[in-house]
Amino acid sequence: MEIFLCVTIAALAAAYFLRAALRPASPAFLPKGILPRDRLGYMLSMLAFTSKKAERGNGLSPKSAYRLLKRAYRMIGKKQPDARFLCEKTLYDNFYAVDMLSGTFTRALPHVSRMPRIYAFCELFVKSTGGVVTREALARAVRTYSAETPLCFRELAALEPVLKIALCEYLAIYAKKLIRINENVERGEADGRKKRVCYPLLRSAAYVFGYRKVNAAPFAEARFSPDAERERQNDFIEKLAKYNARITAATQSLHALAGVFSHDLVLSLCEADGVLSAGDETYGKLSSATRYLYLSRIGKEAAKRKCGEAGFAREVLLKAAKEGKDISFFLLPHAKGKGAARAYAGINVVLWLAAAVMLIAFFSLRGLVVALVGLPIFVQIASAVCRKVIGCFAWRRQLPAYDEKALSVGEHATAILMPCYASSVGDIEDCFSRFTAVMALNRDPVFSYCLLFDYPQSKGVEDERDGALTAAIQRLFAELPPEQRVRTCVLVRKRARVKQDDIYRGYEKKRGAVMDFAAYVLRGEGEFAVKLGDIRGVKYAVTLDSDTATYDCAALVAAKAHPYSQDVAVLTLNCKAAEKRTPFARLFGGETGPGLYRQKAFEPYNDVFGVGNYTGKGIFDIALFDARL
């Protein structure tokens, strides 16, 4: 029993010391005076000089600051509104601006003296400027610091949330002061009612202020003459006014922080971004998200090689110029080959079979029945396990893209294509209604629009219902606004004979519709029963289902036009349906409404192997698509 107790105590002690060693650092609540510009620059240079040797750390824990702010908020809330000081009202009214960030994201940042390096910068900046944060002052401070010790891109990207933490901790300094002031005021009021004096607390102006609120009798000590007491009260009021000015400045900075920061500001502060902008003509046309992607990859590779980000960026530019390729091919990871994809599929099959064999081995005949019935469940579980394991080690594939403002009609003309099945006039009206919504959501001048109809199957090339359907199409096309009708084309495919079923319908359904559209755009080929308008001369086509409404077709074009994706015929990503009409769709269809062509979760076939399943939703290069099919 004694041995067990000793082991238990030793284990608890080891756990305590281990937790203390791994505990994130907490800030020191020490206010600094407002510094002039030249003095602040000197302090920043000195801080940068002592922060050259960065190391790993456990991040930053702002919990103590948030606890102080909450305590002050509850204390002020208990007071009557007319009994609050002005600085207390300011803090109480702006408490909602305090953002309770966890600080766990700071673990990946470079540390100096167990504290994130970027936090030390933000702390000095906020406390030295009195909580006033402006775009110009912040940019000047970052450049002054980086002239001595360049900040990496991860630190610049984390500048906004870390600055929020620094501002909240700056407010916590004055929250702590207000808590102390209120304690002394309450003690003074209590002593004044009891007509007694706590002489050690007479040095506190807050105590004297509270005492005088309820008792006007003079103090016994001569050093508290009326003139000296009046002077101390004036100093107390002046101190509260100074606190109010600092709290007001910090809360206003918290409100305005989102306007201070932007992608352009962060990029302008990054030295590697300047190197890439000067050395690559196409870099300036990229979207902010793509530039962030490039710089984050440069930061990771530079950290692995223990070199500067600007130097690594120059190395990438030299490689790209030597091989005549875009810099994205040297920054983004390459997709795995077909052998790796087959190995991944084989692992999934092995896991399915292993689960089925285990059930059969343990439950004999009953296990066989369970294995056969539960095979779809095993498939889903095995696939989920494989995705989870690979997702822990693989990098999620993000496609680079141009800025949407850089798209031009001459180089990036795109048709938004919606193949539809028209079995009645109501279906045609519904398709036109959805398509006009898509046109309204995607108004960029690079877009043209095409509705491609298939009539119902029939026993001949023509059917008696075709007249009413054609008349409805012509009427609805004529009702389109002139600015939309000029850029819109409506096609109806002729039926082709299906030998196996001895019927006539559109060739190959949706797949054939897309192929016929490509042939029409490129060569003017194809047999169409109805042809209204013309959109030939486009380079890309965005295909949508009749149940899909998306508003980011321009983002798809920007991604497809990038050199990284130009050799790929089809880009296909997930998109949610506009609505779900059947019980099956409501059960398995997910969320509905207008959405983005985006991939929300890790998908190994797309992220690791660079392949996917084209189901008619996505964007394709018309010439490449036609050549490869």
Side-chain angles (χ1 to χ4, degrees):
M1 185 66 181
E2 291 81 359
I3 296 175
F4 175 75
L5 290 175
C6 291
V7 172
T8 303
I9 294 173
L12 292 175
Y16 174 79
F17 287 114
L18 182 63
R19 182 181 179 185
L22 298 178
R23 183 179 300 168
S26 296
F29 298 106
L30 300 174
K32 294 179 172 64
I34 298 178
L35 299 177
R37 181 182 300 181
D38 55 347
R39 182 66 178 171
L40 177 58
Y42 172 75
M43 295 292 292
L44 288 170
S45 298
M46 290 297 297
L47 177 64
F49 181 77
T50 58
S51 304
K52 289 183 179 293
K53 294 183 179 180
E55 56 190 15
R56 293 184 179 181
N58 299 322
L60 178 69
S61 176
K63 292 181 180 179
S64 56
Y66 296 148
R67 282 196 292 266
L68 277 173
L69 288 170
K70 286 182 179 179
R71 182 182 171 190
Y73 178 77
R74 288 193 292 265
M75 176 200 70
I76 299 170
K78 293 178 182 179
K79 298 176 65 174
Q80 295 295 329
D82 55 350
R84 298 171 184 167
F85 299 122
L86 182 59
C87 54
E88 292 178 333
K89 293 180 181 179
T90 304
L91 181 63
Y92 187 80
D93 293 341
N94 293 278
F95 182 77
Y96 68 92
V98 175
D99 196 354
M100 302 296 181
L101 299 175
S102 65
T104 55
F105 67 94
T106 59
R107 292 177 183 174
L109 301 176
H111 285 59
V112 175
S113 300
R114 298 186 64 241
M115 193 74 72
R117 186 170 62 181
I118 188 64
Y119 170 75
F121 164 82
C122 292
E123 181 190 29
L124 175 62
F125 177 75
V126 169
K127 291 180 179 179
S128 300
T129 58
V132 179
V133 178
T134 62
R135 185 187 182 98
E136 294 76 14
L138 182 62
R140 186 168 53 248
V142 171
R143 292 191 179 98
T144 303
Y145 186 97
S146 297
E148 186 67 37
T149 302
L151 293 170
C152 66
F153 181 72
R154 282 183 300 171
E155 292 175 300
L156 293 174
L159 186 58
E160 181 180 2
V162 174
L163 198 57
K164 284 183 180 180
I165 294 176
L167 284 169
C168 291
E169 288 166 353
Y170 184 73
L171 286 173
I173 294 173
Y174 293 97
K176 187 176 181 179
K177 292 178 179 292
L178 291 178
I179 291 171
R180 183 63 177 169
I181 287 173
N182 274 274
E183 290 175 351
N184 290 337
V185 169
E186 291 175 359
R187 179 70 182 275
E189 291 177 353
D191 289 350
R193 294 188 187 96
K194 296 179 180 180
K195 297 181 180 181
R196 66 182 184 186
V197 178
C198 180
Y199 288 100
L201 289 179
L202 281 177
R203 293 175 296 179
S204 170
Y207 176 82
V208 176
F209 178 84
Y211 189 94
R212 286 298 180 216
K213 287 179 66 176
V214 296
N215 194 334
F219 293 108
E221 291 193 7
R223 62 191 177 96
F224 286 99
S225 62
D227 293 338
E229 185 177 338
R230 192 179 305 110
E231 183 179 354
R232 297 196 64 187
Q233 291 302 308
N234 290 336
D235 292 342
F236 177 64
I237 294 173
E238 183 180 350
K239 183 185 294 185
L240 290 178
K242 186 182 297 183
Y243 289 175
N244 180 64
R246 302 290 173 80
I247 293 172
T248 301
T251 53
Q252 287 180 350
S253 296
L254 279 175
H255 286 298
L257 208 57
V260 170
F261 276 90
S262 64
H263 291 306
D264 294 337
L265 174 63
V266 175
L267 293 173
S268 67
L269 298 175
C270 182
E271 188 178 358
D273 181 80
V275 172
L276 294 177
S277 298
D280 187 9
E281 296 180 356
T282 62
Y283 183 78
K285 300 179 182 179
L286 300 178
S287 65
S288 297
T290 300
R291 295 168 76 175
Y292 263 64
L293 175 63
Y294 284 6
L295 294 173
S296 63
R297 293 294 301 174
I298 288 175
K300 290 180 181 180
E301 293 298 326
K304 289 180 182 178
R305 300 187 183 188
K306 297 183 179 179
C307 64
E309 294 182 354
F312 183 77
R314 294 187 184 95
E315 182 181 343
V316 170
L317 287 174
L318 289 174
K319 289 182 179 179
K322 184 178 180 180
E323 299 187 20
K325 295 182 178 180
D326 188 74
I327 59 174
S328 58
F329 293 99
F330 302 93
L331 291 175
L332 306 182
H334 301 287
K336 305 297 181 182
K338 294 183 179 180
R342 294 191 184 105
Y344 173 76
I347 292 173
N348 275 290
V349 173
V350 169
L351 288 176
W352 307 340
L353 296 177
V357 169
M358 288 176 61
L359 283 176
I360 294 172
F362 280 104
F363 298 102
S364 63
L365 182 60
R366 184 183 300 174
L368 177 61
V369 177
V370 173
L372 293 176
V373 174
L375 185 59
I377 300 175
F378 301 150
V379 170
Q380 294 296 326
I381 293 175
S383 300
V385 171
C386 287
R387 282 197 301 270
K388 190 69 175 178
V389 172
I390 294 181
C392 295
F393 301 99
W395 179 78
R396 179 165 179 185
R397 190 165 177 252
Q398 295 175 320
L399 296 177
Y402 285 130
D403 190 349
E404 295 178 15
K405 297 178 181 178
L407 300 178
S408 63
V409 179
E411 297 181 8
H412 310 107
T414 304
I416 298 179
L417 172 65
M418 182 181 286
C420 302
Y421 179 74
S423 60
S424 64
V425 175
D427 288 345
I428 294 174
E429 293 176 347
D430 189 44
C431 290
F432 266 91
S433 175
R434 294 182 186 278
F435 200 62
T436 52
V438 171
M439 288 191 285
L441 292 171
N442 302 274
R443 300 181 179 181
D444 300 74
V446 297
F447 291 125
S448 301
Y449 313 98
C450 181
L451 269 172
L452 183 55
F453 285 103
D454 274 342
Y455 284 164
Q457 65 183 25
S458 175
K459 295 183 179 180
V461 177
E462 296 181 356
D463 191 90
E464 58 184 9
R465 297 170 291 178
D466 295 354
L469 299 178
T470 301
I473 290 174
Q474 292 173 343
R475 173 177 57 83
L476 292 170
F477 179 78
E479 292 176 358
L480 289 175
E483 62 274 8
Q484 291 183 353
R485 189 166 61 246
V486 173
R487 300 160 59 187
T488 304
C489 175
V490 179
L491 302 173
V492 179
R493 292 200 299 164
K494 287 186 176 181
R495 298 182 180 90
R497 184 171 179 270
V498 181
K499 296 180 181 180
Q500 296 86 348
D501 301 326
D502 195 22
I503 58 173
Y504 288 82
R505 67 183 181 197
Y507 173 72
E508 288 286 335
K509 296 185 178 179
K510 186 173 183 179
R511 176 176 178 270
V514 176
M515 294 174 63
D516 287 346
F517 172 78
Y520 170 72
V521 170
L522 294 174
R523 299 178 295 275
E525 299 176 357
E527 296 183 356
F528 299 98
V530 178
K531 189 187 300 182
L532 302 174
D534 190 10
I535 59 168
R536 285 181 292 178
V538 295
K539 184 176 181 180
Y540 305 116
V542 177
T543 52
L544 303 175
D545 284 343
S546 58
D547 64 345
T548 303
T550 183
Y551 48 86
D552 73 332
C553 291
L556 278 177
V557 178
K560 186 66 186 72
H562 192 275
Y564 188 79
S565 304
Q566 281 188 351
D567 293 336
V568 180
V570 181
L571 289 182
T572 174
L573 296 174
N574 297 332
C575 187
K576 58 187 179 182
E579 65 175 351
K580 295 177 286 191
R581 299 183 177 182
T582 64
F584 180 84
R586 286 191 288 271
L587 181 62
F588 295 101
E591 60 181 347
T592 60
L596 299 171
Y597 268 99
R598 291 293 182 269
Q599 186 173 304
K600 297 181 179 179
F602 176 79
E603 215 296 313
Y605 282 104
N606 183 63
D607 292 336
V608 181
F609 310 117
V611 296
N613 184 23
Y614 179 55
T615 58
K617 295 182 181 180
I619 183 172
F620 62 88
D621 186 303
I622 298 176
L624 283 178
F625 185 85
D626 182 74
R628 294 179 183 180
L629 288 182

